[in-house]
Amino acid sequence: MPEPEKHTAETPGGSPGEHVVRPLDPRSLRGLAHPLRIQLLRALRRQGSATASQLAERLGESSGATSYHLRQLAAHGFVEDDPERGKGRERWWKAVPGGTVFDESLYRNEDPEIRGAVDVYLHEIASIHTQELNTYLGTRSDWAQKWLGASDMSDFTLRLPPAKLRELSEKMHALVEEYRTAPEQDAPDAERVRVHLHAFPQHEG
């Protein structure tokens, strides 16, 4: 079984023992690889259940568009009805628990549709990471000094063959997993923390 590409997208909350990731296969990737669908899933993961109208207002889209794309996400198993909220006329949606992992075998798929879906998906994730970082930088004055000192925005340049880059990524992922179950996550001053990992080859010069 091929090793997964080190991109994961997670659902906040849930107990540490319930952290599950779903590998994206060609079918599920086609169902997710649309900018609005990725934004809808992200919103439900971060902010909890919502209706199509609420999501439309939040994302600046029409409710018709959000309704359609939510149904597509549901057909591919990313979102589902929220029975605890859907008691009125309007349908409430929630993210299916867990996260997603991008399998590197998708890079080798020769179907042009899959190649296009890979491009859409990865560029949208990169845009989200940039947006999240810019939002933090623009609102950093809202955070206490201890958070400013603890945050990090570093970059490093190494010379490595592919096997060592994979090893480095796996070790960093394992380290992050250790902190997922740390007892300090329930500390009074704990906040949700986003950790981005970008590791890629670069031409000289």
Side-chain angles (χ1 to χ4, degrees), residues 24-99:
L24 291 174
D25 58 23
R27 180 181 181 278
S28 59
L29 176 65
R30 284 196 300 266
L32 180 59
H34 184 285
L36 182 53
R37 292 179 199 173
I38 294 172
Q39 292 290 343
L40 288 167
L41 181 58
R42 176 172 177 258
L44 291 173
R45 282 174 166 170
R46 290 172 62 95
Q47 298 166 326
S49 301
T51 66
S53 296
Q54 291 169 340
L55 291 165
E57 183 176 358
R58 193 180 303 167
L59 299 176
E61 298 284 343
S62 70
S63 58
T66 55
S67 293
Y68 170 77
H69 288 293
L70 284 165
R71 291 194 300 272
Q72 294 301 308
L73 287 170
H76 290 85
F78 293 106
V79 305
E80 60 188 4
D81 288 309
D82 186 349
E84 296 181 1
R85 305 294 297 274
K87 295 181 172 64
R89 295 179 57 189
E90 204 158 18
R91 191 175 186 180
W92 285 75
W93 297 92
K94 65 177 181 178
V96 171

